[in-house]
Amino acid sequence: MRVLAPEFFFGIHSFKENEPFIIIRTEEFDNAFAAILRWEKSMPFDLAEFFDLTAEELENPGYIPEFKDIVLLNQDVRILNGKEGTILIYGFVDTKTIVLTTHVETFNEITRRIKLPRQVVR
């Protein structure tokens, strides 16, 4: 995905359990949005090792992920649910920042922190 910056941030959000997340930057929102929608078909498989995705659905041959639109913190995001809950969730926090994770609360917390106004220390 050439529209994404080569650097990314991988972290762990300590919530009820440790929840992994990835933050990716882009300078081309329109192209990145179209590309990430195309990526949805293989995204869970491509990110399985990052997020330790072992959902039963992913292990079945011929499984095609179906992301759904939802609204979190007043913004549109895409979510992939499985039989046992959320498998993957992603969204554009702003026109240059994409957050991918496995838990709604982690997505909300990362979004809040990114949007938090920065204090200027004098």
Side-chain angles (χ1 to χ4, degrees), residues 15 35 44:
F15 184 56

Side-chain angles (χ1 to χ4, degrees), residues 10-115:
F10 177 75
I12 302 292
H13 173 232
S14 293
F15 184 56
K16 293 177 183 173
E17 294 182 19
N18 290 333
E19 301 292 343
F21 66 90
I22 298 174
I23 300 173
I24 304 171
R25 302 281 293 170
T26 183
E27 293 296 327
E28 301 179 39
F29 173 77
D30 293 336
N31 292 331
F33 185 75
I36 206 162
L37 285 174
R38 286 190 305 273
W39 185 29
E40 283 185 356
K41 291 177 186 162
S42 66
M43 184 188 299
F45 307 102
D46 295 343
L47 298 175
E49 288 188 48
F50 269 114
F51 292 125
D52 193 27
L53 300 177
T54 57
E56 181 181 320
E57 293 93 339
L58 298 180
E59 296 169 359
N60 288 329
Y63 170 72
I64 299 173
E66 289 187 42
F67 282 81
K68 306 261 189 257
D69 291 315
I70 63 169
V71 176
L72 294 176
L73 296 179
N74 216 17
Q75 66 185 66
D76 294 324
V77 299
R78 303 279 288 163
I79 190 166
L80 176 62
N81 287 315
K83 293 176 185 171
E84 298 178 21
T86 302
I87 295 174
L88 199 56
I89 182 169
Y90 77 87
F92 284 81
V93 175
D94 55 38
T95 58
K96 296 183 179 195
T97 311
I98 306 164
V99 173
L100 301 101
T101 187
T102 55
H103 198 276
V104 170
E105 286 302 320
T106 298
F107 184 87
N108 288 342
E109 183 62 24
I110 301 302
T111 299
R112 277 192 285 274
R113 290 183 187 203
I114 288 173
K115 291 184 174 187

